[in-house]
Amino acid sequence: MFTCPSVPILAPTAFPLGTTTVTWTVTDGSGNSATATQSVVVTDNINPTITAPAATTGTINLACTSTNVVLGTPVTADNCSVASTTNDAPSAFPLGTTTVTWTVTDGSGNSATATQLITVTDNIKPTIACVEDKTRDTETSNCSYTVAGSEFNPSSFGDNCTGSTISNNYNSNSTLAGAVLPKGSTTVVWTVKDAAGNSSSCSFTVIVTSPLVATSTTDNLQLYFGLSTDQIATITTTPSGGTGPYQIVYTMDRALNCNVNGSSETWTGGANTSTNVGNICPTTTPVSTSNSVSSYTVTVKLMTDAIITATVTDRYGCIVISTIKICAEDVRCFAGKSGNAKVKICHQTNSAKNPCQEICVDESAVAAHVAHGDFVGSCTTDCKPRTTTRPVVIGKEKLLETEIPFNVIAYPNPSNHQFTLDLKGGSDKKVEVIVYDMLARQIKRIEKSDGQSIQFGEELPSGEYLVLIKQGENQKVINLIKK
């Protein structure tokens, strides 16, 4: 009987990656043998694994890129071996979010990918520079100035990245060309904003001035109501500069005194009067207007002091105001039985105890008394006549200061913060300070009675101001400039 030989299996229990040759051997009962081979090929079709680093950020540089981004290291693994790990990150990251793809490849060429987000932010502010402060004269129908071209646009602006825009707070545009600026001080703020929302600003001031000036004069600053030769004053206002024809409006700071002991004050507009309002007793505040003139007058007969204001408007609507104070006293006397008009005078007695005394005399005797040192009107505490002043003109440039025994010093002037007013001489009476802008609008009023310096102005915007300082009979007008 024949018995088949046995064939042992010599293959490994676990085949490695790649090709393994298995040799088969057969042996018979007599010890004879033969062999054959078998190739066992093991392939890797399992992808490696990868976990990208966490998302991260970078900061921008002046080239609008980020080169300082630290990506980190991904976590990789494979059932066999990792051959390489790569990414597609640029050398410089642009503004915004960039996706970086990481790729891991094993020894068999299997691969896997993961992504990482890189966010680059822009925290660099753009730059902007404004022109210097400017001054222009009015030139249009609204007493204003029209901006020519790019004269008031920023002198420069820029950013590390593209896409920045500019605008201003006056017309909300990227240019001021054609913008109409009013008379006075206008501060323009320019703002540049980049694509990331960063912004910077600068500002400058344009002062629009008018060459319009008004000068008011009078032929009589001290009136004595009841003295027929010295109870009337004519005020004349003459504009210059600006563009004619002019409108001139006269007003007074009070109503006329009517029916006082049988007599009334009078107010009469001069030639070319267009309208008269409130000039006939009983009355409100008198107003006289003349249109299209080069000069205008008003004539008054007054019993008490009054401030007369002339408001001048030129063809382009520019306005300047001139004020003048007329001192007046009712010197009528009603004593005696002669039937003649009596005038009150202050008679110098040459007495040490009572150096002066009020008396009533016929008007015809006034000249003789004045020639001997007496004066018309009520006696004063020092037995001297009242001090009269020249006109006070509130207007641009041509300011007539009062001739008074005191002085006002303003410093610093110009100022970028506040002004200090020091009064020299004068009296112990209360001080009144009235501040006007160049449109003759009252914007501030101060009263002080302690004799100390007066400080103000920190709240005022940049521009030119006219300040009237009054102390009793004393007054002075000064020009202040706030930077």
Side-chain angles (χ1 to χ4, degrees), residues 205-225:
T205 298
V206 181
I207 298 177
V208 178
T209 62
S210 169
L212 178 62
V213 173
T215 303
S216 293
T217 60
T218 182
D219 58 358
N220 194 353
L221 277 169
Q222 178 66 61
L223 304 184
Y224 299 101
F225 192 89

PDB file of all heavy atoms in Angstrom, residues 205-225:
ATOM      1  N   THR A 205      -8.909 125.445  11.252  1.00  0.00           N
ATOM      2  CA  THR A 205      -9.948 126.470  11.389  1.00  0.00           C
ATOM      3  C   THR A 205      -9.829 127.487  10.260  1.00  0.00           C
ATOM      4  O   THR A 205      -8.727 127.935   9.933  1.00  0.00           O
ATOM      5  CB  THR A 205      -9.825 127.178  12.749  1.00  0.00           C
ATOM      6  OG1 THR A 205     -10.029 126.215  13.793  1.00  0.00           O
ATOM      7  CG2 THR A 205     -10.882 128.268  12.886  1.00  0.00           C
ATOM      8  N   VAL A 206     -10.972 127.822   9.690  1.00  0.00           N
ATOM      9  CA  VAL A 206     -11.047 128.884   8.687  1.00  0.00           C
ATOM     10  C   VAL A 206     -11.813 130.053   9.300  1.00  0.00           C
ATOM     11  O   VAL A 206     -12.938 129.893   9.784  1.00  0.00           O
ATOM     12  CB  VAL A 206     -11.758 128.412   7.411  1.00  0.00           C
ATOM     13  CG1 VAL A 206     -11.789 129.535   6.376  1.00  0.00           C
ATOM     14  CG2 VAL A 206     -11.076 127.194   6.838  1.00  0.00           C
ATOM     15  N   ILE A 207     -11.187 131.211   9.320  1.00  0.00           N
ATOM     16  CA  ILE A 207     -11.849 132.416   9.800  1.00  0.00           C
ATOM     17  C   ILE A 207     -12.224 133.264   8.582  1.00  0.00           C
ATOM     18  O   ILE A 207     -11.340 133.724   7.850  1.00  0.00           O
ATOM     19  CB  ILE A 207     -10.961 133.209  10.770  1.00  0.00           C
ATOM     20  CG1 ILE A 207     -10.637 132.363  12.010  1.00  0.00           C
ATOM     21  CG2 ILE A 207     -11.637 134.507  11.178  1.00  0.00           C
ATOM     22  CD1 ILE A 207      -9.704 133.046  12.986  1.00  0.00           C
ATOM     23  N   VAL A 208     -13.516 133.410   8.363  1.00  0.00           N
ATOM     24  CA  VAL A 208     -14.007 134.211   7.251  1.00  0.00           C
ATOM     25  C   VAL A 208     -14.345 135.599   7.784  1.00  0.00           C
ATOM     26  O   VAL A 208     -15.165 135.739   8.699  1.00  0.00           O
ATOM     27  CB  VAL A 208     -15.238 133.561   6.603  1.00  0.00           C
ATOM     28  CG1 VAL A 208     -15.777 134.437   5.470  1.00  0.00           C
ATOM     29  CG2 VAL A 208     -14.886 132.174   6.074  1.00  0.00           C
ATOM     30  N   THR A 209     -13.690 136.596   7.264  1.00  0.00           N
ATOM     31  CA  THR A 209     -13.874 137.957   7.749  1.00  0.00           C
ATOM     32  C   THR A 209     -14.476 138.819   6.654  1.00  0.00           C
ATOM     33  O   THR A 209     -14.364 138.537   5.465  1.00  0.00           O
ATOM     34  CB  THR A 209     -12.537 138.568   8.194  1.00  0.00           C
ATOM     35  OG1 THR A 209     -11.652 138.629   7.065  1.00  0.00           O
ATOM     36  CG2 THR A 209     -11.884 137.728   9.281  1.00  0.00           C
ATOM     37  N   SER A 210     -15.115 139.879   7.087  1.00  0.00           N
ATOM     38  CA  SER A 210     -15.667 140.849   6.152  1.00  0.00           C
ATOM     39  C   SER A 210     -14.911 142.157   6.290  1.00  0.00           C
ATOM     40  O   SER A 210     -14.631 142.604   7.405  1.00  0.00           O
ATOM     41  CB  SER A 210     -17.152 141.092   6.444  1.00  0.00           C
ATOM     42  OG  SER A 210     -17.624 142.213   5.710  1.00  0.00           O
ATOM     43  N   PRO A 211     -14.563 142.790   5.170  1.00  0.00           N
ATOM     44  CA  PRO A 211     -13.896 144.100   5.250  1.00  0.00           C
ATOM     45  C   PRO A 211     -14.860 145.224   5.616  1.00  0.00           C
ATOM     46  O   PRO A 211     -14.447 146.368   5.738  1.00  0.00           O
ATOM     47  CB  PRO A 211     -13.335 144.279   3.831  1.00  0.00           C
ATOM     48  CG  PRO A 211     -14.246 143.480   2.963  1.00  0.00           C
ATOM     49  CD  PRO A 211     -14.669 142.295   3.791  1.00  0.00           C
ATOM     50  N   LEU A 212     -16.134 144.869   5.828  1.00  0.00           N
ATOM     51  CA  LEU A 212     -17.130 145.890   6.142  1.00  0.00           C
ATOM     52  C   LEU A 212     -16.847 146.530   7.494  1.00  0.00           C
ATOM     53  O   LEU A 212     -16.636 145.846   8.492  1.00  0.00           O
ATOM     54  CB  LEU A 212     -18.525 145.261   6.146  1.00  0.00           C
ATOM     55  CG  LEU A 212     -19.687 146.181   6.494  1.00  0.00           C
ATOM     56  CD1 LEU A 212     -19.816 147.319   5.486  1.00  0.00           C
ATOM     57  CD2 LEU A 212     -20.986 145.384   6.579  1.00  0.00           C
ATOM     58  N   VAL A 213     -16.834 147.868   7.513  1.00  0.00           N
ATOM     59  CA  VAL A 213     -16.611 148.641   8.733  1.00  0.00           C
ATOM     60  C   VAL A 213     -17.648 149.757   8.788  1.00  0.00           C
ATOM     61  O   VAL A 213     -18.017 150.320   7.762  1.00  0.00           O
ATOM     62  CB  VAL A 213     -15.184 149.236   8.758  1.00  0.00           C
ATOM     63  CG1 VAL A 213     -14.997 150.178   9.932  1.00  0.00           C
ATOM     64  CG2 VAL A 213     -14.158 148.127   8.809  1.00  0.00           C
ATOM     65  N   ALA A 214     -18.130 150.036   9.966  1.00  0.00           N
ATOM     66  CA  ALA A 214     -19.059 151.153  10.139  1.00  0.00           C
ATOM     67  C   ALA A 214     -18.519 152.094  11.201  1.00  0.00           C
ATOM     68  O   ALA A 214     -18.133 151.670  12.281  1.00  0.00           O
ATOM     69  CB  ALA A 214     -20.444 150.654  10.536  1.00  0.00           C
ATOM     70  N   THR A 215     -18.499 153.393  10.888  1.00  0.00           N
ATOM     71  CA  THR A 215     -18.031 154.402  11.829  1.00  0.00           C
ATOM     72  C   THR A 215     -19.192 155.334  12.167  1.00  0.00           C
ATOM     73  O   THR A 215     -19.820 155.902  11.272  1.00  0.00           O
ATOM     74  CB  THR A 215     -16.875 155.220  11.225  1.00  0.00           C
ATOM     75  OG1 THR A 215     -15.826 154.331  10.859  1.00  0.00           O
ATOM     76  CG2 THR A 215     -16.356 156.228  12.226  1.00  0.00           C
ATOM     77  N   SER A 216     -19.480 155.432  13.437  1.00  0.00           N
ATOM     78  CA  SER A 216     -20.545 156.326  13.896  1.00  0.00           C
ATOM     79  C   SER A 216     -19.951 157.520  14.627  1.00  0.00           C
ATOM     80  O   SER A 216     -19.074 157.360  15.482  1.00  0.00           O
ATOM     81  CB  SER A 216     -21.518 155.582  14.826  1.00  0.00           C
ATOM     82  OG  SER A 216     -22.234 154.595  14.130  1.00  0.00           O
ATOM     83  N   THR A 217     -20.429 158.714  14.291  1.00  0.00           N
ATOM     84  CA  THR A 217     -19.980 159.946  14.942  1.00  0.00           C
ATOM     85  C   THR A 217     -21.199 160.781  15.310  1.00  0.00           C
ATOM     86  O   THR A 217     -22.310 160.538  14.829  1.00  0.00           O
ATOM     87  CB  THR A 217     -19.059 160.757  14.012  1.00  0.00           C
ATOM     88  OG1 THR A 217     -19.782 161.094  12.809  1.00  0.00           O
ATOM     89  CG2 THR A 217     -17.815 159.961  13.638  1.00  0.00           C
ATOM     90  N   THR A 218     -20.984 161.754  16.153  1.00  0.00           N
ATOM     91  CA  THR A 218     -22.064 162.659  16.529  1.00  0.00           C
ATOM     92  C   THR A 218     -21.500 164.064  16.715  1.00  0.00           C
ATOM     93  O   THR A 218     -20.315 164.235  17.003  1.00  0.00           O
ATOM     94  CB  THR A 218     -22.760 162.200  17.829  1.00  0.00           C
ATOM     95  OG1 THR A 218     -23.845 163.089  18.122  1.00  0.00           O
ATOM     96  CG2 THR A 218     -21.796 162.185  18.989  1.00  0.00           C
ATOM     97  N   ASP A 219     -22.374 165.037  16.518  1.00  0.00           N
ATOM     98  CA  ASP A 219     -21.967 166.435  16.718  1.00  0.00           C
ATOM     99  C   ASP A 219     -22.179 166.899  18.153  1.00  0.00           C
ATOM    100  O   ASP A 219     -21.838 168.027  18.509  1.00  0.00           O
ATOM    101  CB  ASP A 219     -22.728 167.354  15.755  1.00  0.00           C
ATOM    102  CG  ASP A 219     -24.245 167.251  15.918  1.00  0.00           C
ATOM    103  OD1 ASP A 219     -24.710 166.438  16.747  1.00  0.00           O
ATOM    104  OD2 ASP A 219     -24.970 167.971  15.209  1.00  0.00           O
ATOM    105  N   ASN A 220     -22.732 166.026  19.005  1.00  0.00           N
ATOM    106  CA  ASN A 220     -23.001 166.453  20.381  1.00  0.00           C
ATOM    107  C   ASN A 220     -23.149 165.224  21.262  1.00  0.00           C
ATOM    108  O   ASN A 220     -24.105 164.467  21.131  1.00  0.00           O
ATOM    109  CB  ASN A 220     -24.272 167.303  20.450  1.00  0.00           C
ATOM    110  CG  ASN A 220     -24.401 168.044  21.759  1.00  0.00           C
ATOM    111  OD1 ASN A 220     -23.616 167.848  22.678  1.00  0.00           O
ATOM    112  ND2 ASN A 220     -25.394 168.921  21.853  1.00  0.00           N
ATOM    113  N   LEU A 221     -22.185 165.016  22.149  1.00  0.00           N
ATOM    114  CA  LEU A 221     -22.217 163.852  23.034  1.00  0.00           C
ATOM    115  C   LEU A 221     -22.951 164.104  24.339  1.00  0.00           C
ATOM    116  O   LEU A 221     -23.356 163.178  25.019  1.00  0.00           O
ATOM    117  CB  LEU A 221     -20.786 163.404  23.356  1.00  0.00           C
ATOM    118  CG  LEU A 221     -20.108 162.518  22.318  1.00  0.00           C
ATOM    119  CD1 LEU A 221     -18.638 162.385  22.630  1.00  0.00           C
ATOM    120  CD2 LEU A 221     -20.754 161.151  22.287  1.00  0.00           C
ATOM    121  N   GLN A 222     -23.114 165.379  24.726  1.00  0.00           N
ATOM    122  CA  GLN A 222     -23.755 165.725  25.995  1.00  0.00           C
ATOM    123  C   GLN A 222     -24.916 166.661  25.705  1.00  0.00           C
ATOM    124  O   GLN A 222     -24.732 167.783  25.228  1.00  0.00           O
ATOM    125  CB  GLN A 222     -22.764 166.391  26.939  1.00  0.00           C
ATOM    126  CG  GLN A 222     -23.356 166.820  28.268  1.00  0.00           C
ATOM    127  CD  GLN A 222     -23.800 165.645  29.136  1.00  0.00           C
ATOM    128  OE1 GLN A 222     -22.990 164.819  29.506  1.00  0.00           O
ATOM    129  NE2 GLN A 222     -25.079 165.585  29.467  1.00  0.00           N
ATOM    130  N   LEU A 223     -26.123 166.172  25.968  1.00  0.00           N
ATOM    131  CA  LEU A 223     -27.326 166.962  25.711  1.00  0.00           C
ATOM    132  C   LEU A 223     -27.904 167.472  27.019  1.00  0.00           C
ATOM    133  O   LEU A 223     -27.867 166.780  28.048  1.00  0.00           O
ATOM    134  CB  LEU A 223     -28.375 166.106  24.992  1.00  0.00           C
ATOM    135  CG  LEU A 223     -27.948 165.430  23.671  1.00  0.00           C
ATOM    136  CD1 LEU A 223     -29.129 164.707  23.049  1.00  0.00           C
ATOM    137  CD2 LEU A 223     -27.362 166.442  22.715  1.00  0.00           C
ATOM    138  N   TYR A 224     -28.419 168.691  26.947  1.00  0.00           N
ATOM    139  CA  TYR A 224     -29.086 169.318  28.104  1.00  0.00           C
ATOM    140  C   TYR A 224     -30.493 169.684  27.668  1.00  0.00           C
ATOM    141  O   TYR A 224     -30.725 170.707  27.029  1.00  0.00           O
ATOM    142  CB  TYR A 224     -28.306 170.546  28.575  1.00  0.00           C
ATOM    143  CG  TYR A 224     -26.893 170.215  29.016  1.00  0.00           C
ATOM    144  CD1 TYR A 224     -25.805 170.463  28.182  1.00  0.00           C
ATOM    145  CD2 TYR A 224     -26.655 169.641  30.262  1.00  0.00           C
ATOM    146  CE1 TYR A 224     -24.522 170.147  28.575  1.00  0.00           C
ATOM    147  CE2 TYR A 224     -25.369 169.318  30.662  1.00  0.00           C
ATOM    148  CZ  TYR A 224     -24.305 169.577  29.813  1.00  0.00           C
ATOM    149  OH  TYR A 224     -23.028 169.272  30.207  1.00  0.00           O
ATOM    150  N   PHE A 225     -31.415 168.790  28.010  1.00  0.00           N
ATOM    151  CA  PHE A 225     -32.805 168.995  27.610  1.00  0.00           C
ATOM    152  C   PHE A 225     -33.364 170.201  28.371  1.00  0.00           C
ATOM    153  O   PHE A 225     -33.342 170.235  29.604  1.00  0.00           O
ATOM    154  CB  PHE A 225     -33.635 167.751  27.935  1.00  0.00           C
ATOM    155  CG  PHE A 225     -35.003 167.741  27.309  1.00  0.00           C
ATOM    156  CD1 PHE A 225     -35.193 167.204  26.059  1.00  0.00           C
ATOM    157  CD2 PHE A 225     -36.091 168.277  27.984  1.00  0.00           C
ATOM    158  CE1 PHE A 225     -36.455 167.179  25.472  1.00  0.00           C
ATOM    159  CE2 PHE A 225     -37.350 168.261  27.407  1.00  0.00           C
ATOM    160  CZ  PHE A 225     -37.543 167.714  26.150  1.00  0.00           C
TER     161      PHE A 225
END
